[in-house]
Amino acid sequence: MSDNQSSKSRVPPHGRIAFQGELGAYSHQACRDARPDLEAVPCRSFEDVIDTVKRGAADLAMLPVENTTYGRVADIHRLLPESGLRIVDEAFVRVHISLMALPGVQIEELEKVRAHLVLIPQAASFLARYNIRGEPAADSAGAAAELAQAQTRTIGVLASDMAAETYGLNILARHIEDNAHNTTRFLIMGKTADQTRRGELMMTTFVFRVRNIPAALYKAMGGFATNGVNMTKLESYMVGGNFTATQFYADVEGHPDDPALARALEELDYFTDYLEILGVYPADPRRKR
C-alpha cells in the first residue's frame, strides 16, 4: 500500500470533506477525485469551509490555492495561517470547461452563457466562434442550478461535467478551454498535522516574517540555495493592514527531517521573527508532469 493510500485509510469511514461552492463545482470535483469515500459538504465561503472543520462538522477541508491560468486564489494565503488547520495532502485538478444548456436546446439558440468571472475568458475563442456573450455569475455550478430552475432556453452555462450531471443539463461541447494546461491546485486540510508520512516526493509549506535587518530576505533564502533545497513557491502579502509588515508563504520540496531541509529551516529561523510550518505532505503525482 502506498503512503498516499495509507493516509486516506486513516480518515474515518463515512467522513465528510467541506468545500466552497455549490454541488457540481470544481472544488466538489476535487473532493470526489481525491476523497471519493467521503461525503462532500458545500459551504458558502472559504471561512465557512474552515469553520466547518474546526467545529467538527467535517473531517477535512478542500481549498483551492492557485490555478495555472489565473494564478493565486484571492485571500487564501492569508486564511491558511489563521485557520488553525494543517495541510495533509495536495490535489491537482484539470479544469475542463463544458458548455451546457437545457435538454433539447441547440448551441445556435444560445444568446449568452453564465459562469464564474475567471472561467469566461478561458473559453473566449469558443464563445467568439459562436458569437455568444459571457455574463459573470457568482459561481459556475450555481449558475447551472439557476438555469435548471429558470428553464431559460437562450442561456447556457460554462461549468464542469459534474455540474451538468448534478442539475440535469445537456452538454453541448466539452473541453472548450483555450489553454490545455488549465489546472487548479487544491490543499486538503485537517485539524491534525502528520509528519510521519513519507512518499517519493514530500512537500513542506510554511509561512514566515523576516527580522527587520538589512537584506534579511536574501540571507534567509540563502540556506535553501546552499543546501540544494528546491523552493517551488515564494509569495509575499501584507499583514495587519501595514505596508511595512510583510509575510511570506513558501512551498519547498522535502521533509523537515531531511538533513538538507532541516539545515535550511534552521538558517531561516535565525533571520525570522515568525516561522510556522503549515503542513508536510506527499506531492501530488501530477506535480511533475
Side-chain angles (χ1 to χ4, degrees), residues 42-90:
C43 300
R44 294 187 61 183
S45 67
F46 294 139
E47 289 89 347
D48 289 339
V49 172
I50 292 167
D51 182 65
T52 299
V53 175
K54 291 177 72 172
R55 60 187 171 84
D59 304 284
L60 297 172
M62 178 70 75
L63 294 170
V65 290
E66 57 197 330
N67 176 272
T68 55
T69 299
Y70 60 83
R72 183 173 75 183
V73 175
D75 284 342
I76 198 67
H77 291 71
R78 174 185 60 82
L79 290 173
L80 295 184
E82 300 172 358
S83 69
L85 304 182
R86 290 294 175 262
I87 304 166
V88 298
D89 263 316
E90 67 175 356

Side-chain angles (χ1 to χ4, degrees), residues 201-212:
L201 175 62
M202 297 296 294
M203 300 297 300
T204 297
T205 295
F206 56 91
V207 290
F208 66 94
R209 290 191 292 268
V210 295
R211 294 164 54 196
N212 188 21

Side-chain angles (χ1 to χ4, degrees), residues 236-288:
S236 63
Y237 55 100
M238 291 182 295
V239 293
N242 191 330
F243 283 102
T244 61
T246 302
Q247 186 155 292
F248 295 88
Y249 172 100
D251 293 330
V252 297
E253 294 181 354
H255 191 290
D257 290 342
D258 297 340
L261 182 51
R263 289 192 297 268
L265 290 173
E266 182 179 4
E267 189 167 339
L268 173 65
D269 186 57
Y270 179 79
F271 293 106
T272 61
D273 54 23
Y274 168 70
L275 171 62
E276 182 175 5
I277 293 179
L278 299 182
V280 180
Y281 49 96
D284 187 288
R286 286 160 288 193
R287 173 176 281 276
K288 288 295 187 180

